[in-house]
Amino acid sequence: MALRCSAGRAASRARPFLPRRVLMPASFHTTCRTRQDPRQTHDDRTTHFGFETVLESAKESKGDLFLAPAINTAYTDIGYVVGAVFSSVASSYDTMNDLMSLGIHRLWKDHFVRSLNPGSATEAGDQAKGWNILDIAGGTGDIAFRMLDHATVINKDTKTRVTVSDINLEMLAEGRKRSLETPHAGTERLAFLEANAEKLPMVESNSIDLYTVAFGIRNFTNKQRALEEAYRVLKPGGVFACLEFSKVNNQLFNSIYKRWSFSAIPIIGQLVAADRASYQYLVESIEKFPSQVEFSNMIKAAGFLIPGQGWEDLTGGIAAIHKGVKPLK
């Protein structure tokens, strides 16, 4: 079964995300809870948006919104505000990653792809048929293009194919535009899919050889649910691979990096992209993301086997590569 890919329809203009104010459904009453009640319905469950606590369920809501004063325990619509952040930064995505990674995200991505060696013969992937790769939150195509180039040039494989999936239409539009500068545009080896990583009904179970997500999973509403969905779609022996900002493991370096992140990056975001709030959120989202050990345990809890210690630190832990393997039986 082929993946259903979104048509190239125009994306609606996202509402801007404003600092220290919260987007809330018009029907939502302003009474807030400071703790999550275990009796809450799915529609009431909360998650993090940077340092804010926000509604989880409103992600699919399309209701009218109004602006309300924000406090740290207020609820907001995570789908709109995360979507607004990435709609805002789609055209300057590389600049954003340059700022967040001190300019070395390209080296990390190259190393990430080499470590996965797409197009090689593996138990999960038949080289004669090529690999079936699903790149989640991969809108701009950075990882997908590298995967296809590596398979073609290094492993002489012209069958491996990548589906770039993203929940954000502006990011997918940026990826389609960039793909025109590659030899893969318009071929059966590259497809784009608008989808939520936590619910992938259009992807068959046990159909994917390699599931990748780079600098995206920290923005998911329910990370554990996304990991479980990754486990479902992967073939036995298939690999889950995640490249994400992580926890710096040197105290002095961590102090310097945090000062850079929280002091400089939002200001530079304002100067470069006229968008301080989006860059502030991105810095906060890194701080809230689980540690290497915690995230490795989440991958294991989804059912994956963890090779070695489960992760590889990059540049002192600014980022890390996590891997999990779906058991053969």
Side-chain angles (χ1 to χ4, degrees):
M1 176 182 174
L3 303 182
R4 291 204 310 267
C5 298
S6 60
R9 54 191 171 89
S12 61
R13 188 172 182 82
R15 293 174 174 84
F17 172 60
L18 302 179
R20 299 310 169 197
R21 294 173 71 81
V22 175
L23 289 170
M24 304 174 72
S27 61
F28 185 76
H29 297 290
T30 56
T31 301
C32 297
R33 287 185 289 266
T34 59
R35 292 187 180 181
Q36 182 170 323
D37 188 328
R39 297 169 296 179
Q40 286 173 285
T41 67
H42 172 74
D43 288 345
D44 292 330
R45 288 202 296 265
T46 61
T47 186
H48 293 294
F49 176 78
F51 289 163
E52 303 290 337
T53 299
V54 299
L55 276 177
E56 179 179 304
S57 63
K59 191 161 190 170
E60 281 99 25
S61 170
K62 299 297 181 184
D64 292 333
L65 304 178
F66 69 91
L67 288 170
I71 58 174
N72 284 345
T73 54
Y75 293 153
T76 185
D77 180 335
I78 190 169
Y80 279 121
V81 288
V82 172
V85 166
F86 284 92
S87 296
S88 174
V89 302
S91 62
S92 58
Y93 186 70
D94 283 341
T95 300
M96 177 195 75
N97 277 329
D98 282 332
L99 295 174
M100 304 297 288
S101 70
L102 305 178
I104 57 178
H105 68 98
R106 293 176 178 83
L107 298 178
W108 294 341
K109 290 173 181 175
D110 288 342
H111 175 68
F112 181 60
V113 170
R114 285 195 301 269
S115 75
L116 297 168
N117 197 19
S120 62
T122 67
E123 292 183 39
D126 182 345
Q127 192 175 28
K129 297 180 180 179
W131 290 21
N132 187 15
I133 301 173
L134 179 60
D135 183 34
I136 291 287
T140 60
D142 272 2
I143 297 298
F145 305 152
R146 283 173 167 84
M147 290 283 183
L148 291 173
D149 289 344
H150 183 101
T152 303
V153 175
I154 303 300
N155 290 316
K156 312 302 179 186
D157 164 32
T158 59
K159 301 294 185 180
T160 285
R161 56 212 175 275
V162 182
T163 298
V164 180
S165 175
D166 205 294
I167 199 171
N168 187 282
L169 284 171
E170 281 88 348
M171 296 291 281
L172 287 170
E174 186 68 20
R176 288 191 182 92
K177 183 174 73 174
R178 294 184 184 193
S179 74
L180 299 177
E181 301 174 2
T182 77
H184 315 300
T187 72
E188 295 182 352
R189 301 184 67 193
L190 180 65
F192 293 86
L193 172 70
E194 180 191 0
N196 183 339
E198 297 166 26
K199 292 175 289 186
L200 297 168
M202 71 293 292
V203 184
E204 289 185 351
S205 299
N206 306 308
S207 64
I208 302 297
D209 296 299
L210 173 63
Y211 176 116
T212 58
V213 54
F215 302 119
I217 201 166
R218 74 180 187 279
N219 302 300
F220 292 180
T221 305
N222 190 320
K223 299 170 185 61
Q224 193 64 49
R225 189 182 300 151
L227 290 170
E228 291 165 0
E229 190 71 340
Y231 184 90
R232 180 188 68 80
V233 303
L234 279 165
K235 297 176 181 177
V239 174
F240 166 84
C242 174
L243 170 62
E244 187 55 270
F245 289 108
S246 199
K247 306 300 183 187
V248 175
N249 48 38
N250 177 277
Q251 187 173 358
L252 177 60
F253 186 26
N254 185 48
S255 176
I256 295 170
Y257 181 66
K258 280 189 177 180
R259 178 168 296 186
W260 161 258
S261 297
F262 284 95
S263 300
I265 289 176
I267 295 173
I268 296 174
Q270 178 64 38
L271 295 174
V272 172
D275 188 359
R276 178 177 183 135
S278 292
Y279 286 80
Q280 181 70 36
Y281 157 72
L282 293 165
V283 169
E284 292 177 2
S285 71
I286 295 172
E287 186 70 15
K288 296 297 294 185
F289 190 68
S291 70
Q292 287 90 322
V293 172
E294 290 168 335
F295 188 56
S296 184
N297 287 337
M298 291 174 67
I299 296 170
K300 186 176 181 180
F304 290 100
L305 299 175
I306 305 299
Q309 73 169 0
W311 72 89
E312 175 189 0
D313 284 332
L314 303 176
T315 317
I318 292 180
I321 295 172
H322 286 263
K323 293 179 182 176
V325 180
K326 185 171 180 176
L328 290 172
K329 293 183 180 180

